[in-house]
């Protein structure tokens, strides 16, 4: 099957989810200039409108690695502008979503184990893996948001973390794994929003679509060996890793994954999935 050159948003009916149970997302979050791409921003806005309104949002971003699992700020604190060399206007963006102390307590209750503590960093605001897409999907900033760290890049351990977080779906929490389906900045085509992409990016993207939608969790977790061009698509695995948390959060519920956003931005695959 030939992928379209320009990405599209595919209709994913909220009603296919179990009543009262929130879907789980894995999305490609872009960089601050995403805000200037009206096509992508409109797609994210449409996706947000199509989702059931969550009670709160839990984000696992490629841009926060800290062990053990660490909970970010539960009060409103400044955003974490974890990027350099951009025009000043990107550092003036605000996203004043309410904090989520109750969700933080639930995450701690689900994840902390004897001998495996959970930490909290009350000064750590949302990074761009969280706020860049949320600005487009929930522009009113009226849903409490909490970010937690990835304690490792090990696929199986992140998958298990997702499983531990799965009960939150029945409490109205939208779990978002935020990364990028292909992420090689050395090979990126900066500024190119035409939808062009190199063969390695297209091959990995198509493999990801087929494998995730088929529910082949073993292949996804072993993507470095099973996917074409894996080491070019992800010289470091941090931007694919949030997908493992999303898979874990839905693995025991027999859910179906559907590709919602596809196409390429700066030559990188912005494939994004919804797990109902």
């Amino acid at each position: 099957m030939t992928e379209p050159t320009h990405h599209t948003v595919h209709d994913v009916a909220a009603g296919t989810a179990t009543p009262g149970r929130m879907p789980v997302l894995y999305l490609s979050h872009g960089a601050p200039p995403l805000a200037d791409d009206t096509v992508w921003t409109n797609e994210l806005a449409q996706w947000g409108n199509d989702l059931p309104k969550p009670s709160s949002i839990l984000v696992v971003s490629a841009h926060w690695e800290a062990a053990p699992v660490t909970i970010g700020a539960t009060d409103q604190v400044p955003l974490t502008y974890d990027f350099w060399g951009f025009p000043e206007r990107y550092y003036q963006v605000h996203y004043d979503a309410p904090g989520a102390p109750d969700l933080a307590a639930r995450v701690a209750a689900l994840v902390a184990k004897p001998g495996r503590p959970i930490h909290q960093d009350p000064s750590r605001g949302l990074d761009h893996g969280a706020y860049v897409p949320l600005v487009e999907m929930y522009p009113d900033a009226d849903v409490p948001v909490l970010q937690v760290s990835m304690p490792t890049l090990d696929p199986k351990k992140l998958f298990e973390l997702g499983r531990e977080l799965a009960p939150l779906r029945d409490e109205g929490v939208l779990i978002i794994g935020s990364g990028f389906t292909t992420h090689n900045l050395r090979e990126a085509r900066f500024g190119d929003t035409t939808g062009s992409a190199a063969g390695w990016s297209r091959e990995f993207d198509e493999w990801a679509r087929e494998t995730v939608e088929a529910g082949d969790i073993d292949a996804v977790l072993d993507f470095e060996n099973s996917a074409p061009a894996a080491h070019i698509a992800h010289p470091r695995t941090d931007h694919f890793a949030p997908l493992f948390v999303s898979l874990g959060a839905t693995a025991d519920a027999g859910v179906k994954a559907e590709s919602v956003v596809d196409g390429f931005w700066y030559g990188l695959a912005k494939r994004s999935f919804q797990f109902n």
Side-chain angles (χ1 to χ4, degrees):
M1 176 178 177
T2 302
E3 286 293 298
T5 299
H6 296 284
H7 60 278
T8 57
V9 172
H10 305 290
D11 182 31
V12 181
T16 59
T18 300
R21 176 175 291 171
M22 290 298 295
V24 175
L25 313 184
Y26 169 76
L27 55 79
S28 295
H29 61 244
L34 179 155
D36 303 326
D37 184 338
T38 57
V39 176
W40 199 358
T41 57
N42 287 339
E43 290 175 342
L44 289 172
Q46 179 182 324
W47 195 3
N49 287 333
D50 290 343
L51 289 166
K53 186 71 174 286
S55 62
S56 55
I57 297 171
L58 179 67
V59 181
V60 178
S61 163
H63 293 280
W64 192 16
E65 297 173 48
V69 173
T70 305
I71 294 171
T74 57
D75 295 318
Q76 287 187 354
V77 300
L79 298 174
T80 298
Y81 302 104
D82 54 334
F83 45 86
W84 298 266
F86 286 85
E88 180 61 25
R89 61 192 174 93
Y90 295 121
Y91 302 92
Q92 302 303 319
V93 174
H94 293 275
Y95 190 71
D96 298 322
D102 293 341
L103 177 56
R106 283 291 292 134
V107 170
L110 291 169
V111 173
K113 300 286 190 299
R116 193 182 72 176
I118 188 167
H119 288 184
Q120 185 159 0
D121 183 348
S123 66
R124 219 272 183 186
L126 302 176
D127 63 43
H128 81 267
Y131 76 78
V132 164
L134 291 180
V135 163
E136 312 304 335
M137 298 179 76
Y138 296 97
D140 294 334
D142 58 349
V143 179
V145 180
L146 179 71
Q147 188 170 344
V148 298
S149 71
M150 290 192 298
T152 176
L153 294 180
D154 181 279
K156 292 182 179 179
K157 291 180 179 179
L158 289 175
F159 180 81
E160 290 304 320
L161 174 62
R163 283 180 125 164
E164 292 169 348
L165 296 171
L168 297 175
R169 297 182 62 206
D170 291 320
E171 300 168 24
V173 179
L174 178 65
I175 300 172
I176 300 178
S178 179
F180 221 133
T181 295
T182 62
H183 190 260
N184 185 331
L185 298 184
R186 289 179 179 269
E187 301 292 335
R189 301 176 177 183
F190 290 106
D192 183 355
T193 59
T194 66
S196 66
W200 60 264
S201 191
R202 292 183 177 277
E203 289 173 9
F204 187 94
D205 174 63
E206 178 62 15
W207 174 90
R209 183 193 66 78
E210 291 179 351
T211 308
V212 173
E213 289 187 347
D216 191 345
I217 292 174
D218 289 340
V220 177
L221 296 183
D222 191 38
F223 81 99
E224 290 185 278
N225 296 310
S226 61
H231 295 283
I232 305 175
H234 291 283
R236 193 170 186 274
T237 64
D238 52 336
H239 277 70
F240 206 55
L243 173 61
F244 310 141
V245 179
S246 298
L247 285 171
T250 55
D252 296 329
V255 301
K256 179 181 180 182
E258 296 185 63
S259 178
V260 181
V261 176
D262 59 30
F264 301 87
W265 188 73
Y266 293 7
L268 306 177
K270 48 188 172 182
R271 175 83 54 188
S272 300
F273 296 99
Q274 179 170 326
F275 301 85
N276 286 313

